[in-house]
Amino acid sequence: MNAIISAVGHYVPETRLTNADLEKLVDTSDEWIMSRTGIKERRILDTKKGTSHMAVKAAEMVLAQRGISPEEIDVLLTATVTPDLLVPSMAAVVQRELGATRCWGYDLNGGCTGFLCAFTTAAQFIESGRYRKVLVIGADKMSAIIDYEDRNTCILFGDGAGAVLVEPSDDDDTGVKDFILHMDGSGEDYLYMTGGGSRHPASLSTVNDKMHYLYQDGRTVYKHAVNGMADVFLRVLERNGLSGEDVNLFIPHQANYRIIDAVAKKVGISKDRVMINVHKYGNTTAGTIPIALSEAHQENRMKYEDWVVMAAFGAGFTWGSVLLKWALK
Ligand code: COA
């Protein structure tokens, strides 16, 4: 049984945080941000709403596109590092809001690779024949864990959600063909949020010490991201007898224009075959790939039977790639 993406959707909040806005918050400039990251603006969710708000809207777009009701969903997988609550899961919150009463599901934290982890799990649920409709959502409200006094991080991240429906198909030509996933726990030293977990439960001192914010060693992450994404891009093609020339559209994790540009150069794929929307949204963590996929679909950038490669790198470290043949006509 082949697993295909049968519908794709996304949602971003309306409020924009521009580089000019950030110039008022920290010592930075539009010129610095544009030259180092290519990011012009990000979307910010209402502080009173949780990540599930965006996840549900992305899911509703998927259901409407496919013309099915929420009760038809068998499994709901939600990739996020910013669930509404620690308990219960965001999947449970989304299930209730969406009215997907018949499904079970769970959250998955794979950092910026989270969507690919959830998507490849969904594909295997379908390939095994056990389930017929798996909804996969990648969503993050990064504004909830960003310190808007820290110029190293606040310029990079934004809020957003994307979703896909994964279903079986008899068409052997299309669907998920292969994937590669990796994890290296030594990455904890370079990209982390220490407060609020079981090692450092929330307390006055964790708040005073700003432990509920995301920190990173940008240069180390940058280097690993470029090397990791380029490596899994090339290997997933090579072991399927393909090369960069065969790829119709590359959908990389949208962290930073320079990372995307460096990966594209390293693997030898021309920029017109790379999906880029990081300038509009910044890094929405688990949201970037499904949002980019949804916008690429809206822009008609993938034709039936096109080769599509997705690749991501993120906290853990985690990284991976997926090779698929586009199934929508
Ligand atoms: N505005 C102005 N200056 C800034 C700044 C900002 N927003 N943020 C950092 N700087 C300063 C630094 O303080 C440093 O100053 P110093 O030399 O006086 O100490 C200087 O700019 C250079 O910093 P550096 O970190 O070396 O810059 P960089 O060229 O490596 O770019 C990143 C920084 C964060 C853009 C880059 O490292 C990066 O993109 N890393 C990957 C981040 C990422 O995408 N993470 C998520 C992956 S999933």
Side-chain angles (χ1 to χ4, degrees):
M1 195 70 76
N2 243 15
I4 61 157
I5 292 176
S6 59
V8 52
H10 73 283
Y11 174 81
V12 290
E14 277 177 19
T15 305
R16 291 158 201 261
L17 181 69
T18 64
N19 292 349
D21 296 329
L22 287 167
E23 283 175 0
K24 292 177 202 138
L25 297 175
V26 291
D27 180 14
T28 191
S29 66
D30 175 53
E31 193 277 325
W32 194 96
I33 301 171
M34 281 304 291
S35 65
R36 298 304 217 287
T37 72
I39 301 168
K40 282 194 173 74
E41 59 183 31
R42 315 107 195 103
R43 299 301 180 92
I44 302 294
L45 184 65
D46 182 340
T47 49
K48 293 191 197 72
K49 292 186 172 129
T51 305
S52 66
H53 176 81
M54 301 183 291
V56 168
K57 288 206 176 308
E60 284 171 346
M61 182 171 164
V62 165
L63 297 180
Q65 197 179 93
R66 181 68 178 87
I68 61 167
S69 68
E71 300 85 32
E72 291 179 64
I73 303 298
D74 298 318
V75 186
L76 170 59
L77 302 181
T78 43
T80 186
V81 302
T82 53
D84 290 35
L85 312 166
L86 283 181
V87 182
S89 69
M90 190 172 85
V93 177
V94 171
Q95 182 206 33
R96 181 168 71 178
E97 289 302 310
L98 198 59
T101 47
R102 218 177 43 76
C103 74
W104 67 284
Y106 54 90
D107 289 3
L108 189 154
N109 178 341
C112 295
T113 316
F115 175 78
L116 295 189
C117 299
F119 174 68
T120 51
T121 304
Q124 291 167 95
F125 279 155
I126 295 296
E127 285 159 7
S128 73
R130 189 171 284 270
Y131 299 107
R132 298 194 61 82
K133 284 184 173 50
V134 184
L135 182 62
V136 184
I137 303 175
D140 272 300
K141 180 188 174 186
M142 296 307 288
S143 60
I145 58 167
I146 292 300
D147 178 2
Y148 287 95
E149 293 181 349
D150 177 6
R151 68 178 183 174
N152 290 297
T153 51
C154 73
I155 58 157
L156 298 171
F157 294 92
D159 304 338
V164 298
L165 186 65
V166 189
E167 293 190 76
S169 163
D170 296 332
D171 176 1
D172 276 349
D173 277 351
T174 60
V176 178
K177 296 296 172 189
D178 200 1
F179 62 87
I180 295 173
L181 290 167
H182 291 291
M183 181 160 68
D184 174 2
S186 63
E188 180 190 324
D189 298 341
Y190 308 104
L191 186 47
Y192 53 85
M193 184 180 106
T194 50
S198 55
R199 214 190 287 167
H200 303 286
S203 68
L204 272 180
S205 72
T206 63
V207 173
N208 289 336
D209 294 343
K210 293 193 160 197
M211 289 166 71
H212 299 274
Y213 292 128
L214 188 75
Y215 293 92
Q216 72 167 338
D217 172 348
R219 280 199 179 166
T220 305
V221 174
Y222 182 96
K223 199 177 71 197
H224 281 84
V226 172
N227 291 336
M229 278 165 61
D231 177 60
V232 291
F233 176 99
L234 291 172
R235 274 196 293 129
V236 82
L237 289 172
E238 191 185 314
R239 74 185 194 190
N240 288 277
L242 300 165
S243 76
E245 292 290 299
D246 299 302
V247 177
N248 301 94
L249 192 65
F250 174 35
I251 303 191
H253 168 50
Q254 310 282 316
N256 175 325
Y257 180 81
R258 268 167 64 215
I259 294 180
I260 296 171
D261 187 50
V263 172
K265 285 197 176 107
K266 230 173 145 98
V267 304
I269 185 166
S270 57
K271 211 59 71 53
D272 57 312
R273 288 181 291 135
V274 182
M275 180 64 197
I276 301 173
N277 62 7
V278 68
H279 53 288
K280 297 193 286 184
Y281 309 129
N283 183 349
T284 56
T285 302
T288 69
I289 291 195
I291 294 171
L293 194 64
S294 177
E295 289 198 336
H297 182 52
Q298 283 179 331
E299 293 164 17
N300 208 19
R301 291 189 65 175
M302 296 166 295
K303 310 274 185 299
Y304 176 67
E305 290 195 332
D306 269 2
W307 284 110
V308 176
V309 176
M310 306 185 273
F313 184 92
F317 294 138
T318 55
W319 67 106
S321 61
V322 174
L323 172 68
L324 56 86
K325 249 191 171 185
W326 194 243
L328 295 176
K329 286 185 177 156

